[in-house]
Amino acid sequence: MRSVWDTTVRGRAAAGMGVVVLGAALSACSGSDGAKPAPPPSRGTDAPQAGVTPTPATHPFTGGAKGLANPVLAVKIENTRPALPQSGVSAADIVYVEQVEGGETRLMAVYSSRLPKKVGPVRSARISDLHILPQFGRPAFAFSGVQSKMKKYIRKAPVYDISQESAGAAYFRSGDRRIPYNLYADPRSLLKRAPKAAKPRDIGFRFGDAPEGGKPIRSFTARWPAATMGFTWSAKQKRWLASWGGSPDRAAEGGILGGRTVVVQYAKTTRSKFHDFLGSYTPLIHTTGTGRAVVLRDGKAYSAKWSRPSESGGTAYTTADGKPMNFARGQVWVVLVNDGKPYTP
């Protein structure tokens, strides 16, 4: 069966079929109807090559002027108490917060405009990552590993696998933490293992002046079944300062984590076919389709809508009246929460 990735790049005439196939893939991965699981988009023979991506005028991930032609690197990072403080998160262009087993969360940090000296603790990938990453083309993807049943999905995904298994020399263990919270990686060394990693391209973000309206707020709390993250506006630093479990979310390099823009994206969360060794099922976060969002910038909260018709395309964020929801230039956090109450599938 032709993959969503192949369908999209073969032409607009097949776009409708691509959406249908995408819906089938997500439904199958959820395992709710007993159907055979379908893989996320494969890299395909017609996938765009890094060399043909035009250099943007401003960085599509941050709205800035640096690193316009740098490759894209995504890294999975632990986000539970034993992993704090984390390294390298403050240097990311985009930080995704995703629910994992047991109602906890994990980060996927996306780098391009700049690289930290080290990043971690690096942890394993999840199926939702493979549904988020195709919009970046074929980026380099760093993670500690995956369960055996998921390896075939990694092989078929449009990513360069630079996991610990395939790029071990780029990883190292820290002596001051216990396994599995002591694995770190050198981003520059990682990218040497993926010399053809995709360059940055439009993923739907728009940067510029804030739209009219918005509700002034001091803080916002995102909730999952077993975790909370807060974001408090700092007028002095002109960004949202993150907290984890009610305490400041500090960076290993110093300071508190947080972004100029925080997107709280409400997305349906269902049960995937995967589970951990304790029997807890891995959530599948549905990041295609449409839904609601709250965008935090400049000390205000804006009600917004998100739309992502296909996995190979980016996510458009619009205001209630349909205009582009501009982000503040700088680091963006995309906080994925269930569309409804916190839910453990």
Side-chain angles (χ1 to χ4, degrees), residues 36-208:
K36 183 179 180 180
S42 65
R43 61 187 63 153
T45 56
D46 294 331
Q49 299 299 309
V52 300
T53 303
T55 301
T58 58
H59 204 293
F61 304 168
T62 66
K66 296 182 178 180
L68 304 183
N70 291 350
V72 180
L73 168 66
V75 185
K76 285 311 299 273
I77 301 173
E78 178 71 4
N79 196 41
T80 56
R81 188 173 298 280
L84 306 180
Q86 300 134 321
S87 296
V89 176
S90 59
D93 293 336
I94 309 168
V95 181
Y96 288 93
V97 186
E98 308 170 39
Q99 183 176 331
V100 292
E101 299 83 5
E104 298 283 1
T105 61
R106 191 161 289 181
L107 307 182
M108 181 166 66
V110 178
Y111 301 87
S112 175
S113 65
R114 59 179 179 150
L115 293 174
K117 292 182 178 180
K118 70 175 184 178
V119 60
V122 180
R123 292 302 307 275
S124 54
R126 293 294 184 269
I127 190 64
S128 294
D129 304 326
L130 304 187
H131 291 275
I132 294 171
L133 287 172
Q135 65 189 308
F136 293 96
R138 191 178 173 192
F141 185 31
F143 53 99
S144 63
V146 293
Q147 58 179 268
S148 58
K149 290 193 298 184
M150 192 174 155
K151 287 185 176 181
K152 65 180 180 180
Y153 297 102
I154 293 287
R155 289 193 296 267
K156 294 178 180 180
V159 299
Y160 287 98
D161 176 356
I162 50 171
S163 62
Q164 184 187 20
E165 183 176 344
S166 60
Y171 293 82
F172 58 93
R173 295 281 180 182
S174 170
D176 60 356
R177 296 193 180 189
R178 60 185 175 88
I179 293 176
Y181 309 107
N182 64 349
L183 183 66
Y184 292 82
D186 178 343
R188 289 170 178 79
S189 183
L190 287 170
L191 286 172
K192 288 180 180 179
R193 273 81 175 169
K196 295 183 179 180
K199 302 298 190 292
R201 68 181 194 177
D202 186 1
I203 58 166
F205 292 1
R206 297 295 178 263
F207 298 89

Side-chain angles (χ1 to χ4, degrees), residues 228-312:
T228 61
M229 287 197 72
F231 297 90
T232 300
W233 175 247
S234 169
K236 181 178 180 179
Q237 298 187 33
K238 297 182 179 180
R239 65 189 185 102
W240 298 89
L241 304 181
S243 63
W244 187 96
S247 299
D249 195 1
R250 301 188 183 279
E253 301 84 359
I256 299 175
L257 298 177
R260 295 290 308 281
T261 303
V262 176
V263 181
V264 182
Q265 182 170 332
Y266 295 89
K268 184 179 180 181
T269 303
T270 60
R271 176 183 290 188
S272 77
K273 69 186 288 287
F274 305 100
H275 57 78
D276 63 16
F277 70 97
L278 296 174
S280 298
Y281 279 89
T282 302
L284 175 65
I285 305 167
H286 296 255
T287 52
T288 55
T290 60
R292 63 190 179 98
V294 174
V295 177
L296 309 177
R297 63 161 294 177
D298 302 332
K300 290 185 177 182
Y302 294 84
S303 295
K305 297 179 180 179
W306 65 267
S307 175
R308 187 184 177 207
S310 69
E311 293 193 344
S312 62

